[in-house]
Amino acid sequence: MTTRNKTIALAAAGLAFATVAAQPALAAKKDAAPAAAAPAAGGNIVQGLGVASFDAVIANSNAYKTAETQRQTTFKAQFDQAQTRQNALNAQIKPLIDKFNADRQGGKATQASLEQQAGAIQQIQENGKAELQRILQPVGLSQAYVNEQIEDKLNDAVKAAMTKKGVSILISPDAILAVNGGAYNLNQDILNELNTSIPSAQLVPPAGWEPRQVREQRAQAAAAQGQAPAGAAPATQPSGR
């Protein structure tokens, strides 16, 4: 990477490291209103068709919102530790960036010197991000654990809502260009079913718990190697007789 490119990268990164405050995975979907509106006057309704955003439903569920609130207290020590460490990293890296910019603008530093400074700054940034991720790992596991519990109930909630509303085809809002009125919106119906089936979720995962994606990757890797997944009975070996 050239010094110019490194300068751009440093400027883009600034002093920002991993965000310390809790960032729910579905935060961008929280504002998606789940309530279904009445159909527009004179609108033609296609019977059996519904629209729903699963991300919006999960983010608006009681279990999800309660867990988000509880997590701030349960993991306060991790949040505080990460914030303290982030402040220290920012204080460490600011004078290095100031020196780099001053040397580059002054035109007296050699290319090799600028490359070395830029590399050192980027290394501190990368190490800092990794360190903050380790500190906040319990928070990330909690988020994944809560989401998985809710997702495990979502399919039944969707089926129940579709049955009650007589919906046979359910599509995502991303799959349509426009809809006249809110008669097709099934978000609130699914949300009601979900809140009934899982009013709250366990916040802290059991020891050794791993997210579904990690478990599936381990299982696939084991299958690819011809090995049984962890906990499975070993295959019977031929006796050779």
Side-chain angles (χ1 to χ4, degrees):
M1 181 183 291
T2 65
T3 300
R4 179 177 180 276
N5 289 338
K6 284 187 176 180
T7 302
I8 295 174
L10 292 173
L15 303 181
F17 288 99
T19 303
V20 172
Q23 296 294 330
L26 305 174
K29 301 291 185 179
K30 275 192 170 183
D31 294 333
N44 296 322
I45 304 303
V46 179
Q47 297 298 325
L49 180 64
V51 179
S53 169
F54 293 166
D55 285 347
V57 170
I58 292 175
N60 282 281
S61 68
N62 291 339
Y64 183 90
K65 292 190 291 187
T66 299
E68 286 296 301
T69 300
Q70 293 175 336
R71 195 172 290 116
Q72 300 300 317
T73 301
T74 302
F75 296 99
K76 184 178 184 302
Q78 285 83 358
F79 287 133
D80 290 347
Q81 181 184 358
Q83 183 65 68
T84 299
R85 185 59 184 138
Q86 182 175 6
N87 292 340
L89 288 166
N90 287 342
Q92 176 186 1
I93 203 172
K94 185 180 185 304
L96 299 178
I97 292 180
D98 291 344
K99 183 179 185 303
F100 173 85
N101 290 331
D103 290 350
R104 180 175 58 85
Q105 294 170 3
K108 295 182 180 181
T110 64
Q111 180 78 7
S113 174
L114 291 175
E115 291 282 351
Q116 184 177 13
Q117 289 183 59
I121 291 171
Q122 288 183 329
Q123 187 62 53
I124 294 174
Q125 288 177 324
E126 293 172 3
N127 291 343
K129 289 179 182 179
E131 183 179 359
L132 291 174
Q133 287 175 350
R134 287 193 297 271
I135 294 174
L136 294 174
Q137 184 180 27
V139 179
L141 285 176
S142 171
Q143 291 174 329
Y145 188 50
V146 169
N147 288 347
E148 189 167 310
Q149 292 174 74
I150 299 174
E151 289 166 359
D152 285 344
K153 298 292 185 179
L154 181 61
N155 189 51
D156 288 342
V158 170
K159 289 181 179 179
M162 291 178 67
T163 299
K164 290 180 180 180
K165 286 292 185 178
V167 172
S168 56
I169 300 176
L170 188 64
I171 61 177
S172 166
D174 297 334
I176 57 177
L177 296 178
V179 61
N180 187 15
Y184 300 106
N185 193 331
L186 210 65
N187 280 13
Q188 187 63 54
D189 301 275
I190 298 174
L191 181 60
N192 293 340
E193 298 291 339
L194 195 60
N195 285 339
T196 298
S197 61
I198 179 169
S200 62
Q202 186 176 345
L203 186 65
V204 181
W209 181 86
E210 294 177 323
R212 193 195 318 273
Q213 183 178 3
V214 176
R215 301 195 304 268
E216 291 176 349
Q217 289 175 347
R218 289 187 184 279
Q220 291 173 359
Q225 296 174 2
Q227 299 173 348
T236 302
Q237 298 295 326
S239 63
R241 290 187 240 171

